[in-house]
Amino acid sequence: MAKDTVRYPDEVVEEIDALVDDGMFESKSEFYRFSAEYVLSLINPEHDVKTFNFDEIKTELDISESDHARALGTDGGTFFLDAVITVRKQGLRGNYEAAERFIDTHYDATDQECIILEELLGTYRERPE
């Protein structure tokens, strides 16, 4: 196992110490390992988690999928950005039905993201050839 030295603001260390003192984590090392793996799994859902008891810790912390989404921002990660890219690509190519199918397959009609994607698609339909 590699060893890395990282500096944190005193206030952050104090909060981590409080979590360890409260028994939420067994040690500061466990907190740091879990935190690093958690962020890596947010960034890359395919990340192969190596931390012992990761899922157990996550369950104990009661981190839900909606918590994941809030941690990543309003789009819940990169999926919305990927959806924008897909709709844009189909719109530029004039494949409006394919874009509509994509939107309908991945979003409920009342979702904010759905409305935004439909508006985006509409801008490509209105463009002069």
Side-chain angles (χ1 to χ4, degrees):
M1 209 182 264
K3 185 175 180 180
D4 227 351
T5 303
V6 181
R7 295 184 183 276
Y8 293 97
D10 291 337
E11 297 80 18
V12 171
V13 174
E14 289 169 9
E15 288 189 42
I16 294 167
D17 286 339
L19 292 173
V20 172
D21 291 344
D22 289 344
M24 194 168 287
F25 292 91
E26 288 183 20
S27 65
K28 288 167 70 169
S29 293
E30 182 182 65
F31 173 86
Y32 292 124
R33 282 191 296 274
F34 174 82
S35 299
E37 294 272 30
Y38 180 71
V39 170
L40 290 171
S41 68
L42 289 175
I43 294 168
N44 177 9
E46 304 295 317
H47 173 70
D48 183 26
V49 175
K50 303 285 188 209
T51 298
F52 181 70
N53 287 343
F54 178 85
D55 290 328
E56 182 181 317
I57 295 168
K58 186 177 168 193
T59 300
E60 287 176 14
L61 294 174
D62 196 25
I63 299 173
S64 67
E65 292 305 313
S66 61
D67 292 331
H68 271 294
R70 279 194 298 280
L72 289 172
T74 57
D75 69 353
T78 60
F79 183 77
F80 182 68
L81 177 58
D82 291 342
V84 168
I85 292 167
T86 299
V87 169
R88 180 179 183 275
K89 186 188 314 181
Q90 298 295 351
L92 285 170
R93 295 177 178 165
N95 297 332
Y96 308 125
E97 289 180 16
E100 287 173 344
R101 263 192 317 277
F102 174 84
I103 294 169
D104 293 343
T105 302
H106 293 89
Y107 294 94
D108 183 84
T110 60
D111 286 349
Q112 181 180 15
E113 293 90 351
C114 177
I115 295 166
I116 292 168
L117 292 171
E118 288 175 344
E119 288 292 321
L120 174 64
L121 181 58
T123 63
Y124 293 103
R125 285 188 170 143
E126 297 166 5
R127 292 173 47 157
E129 297 290 325

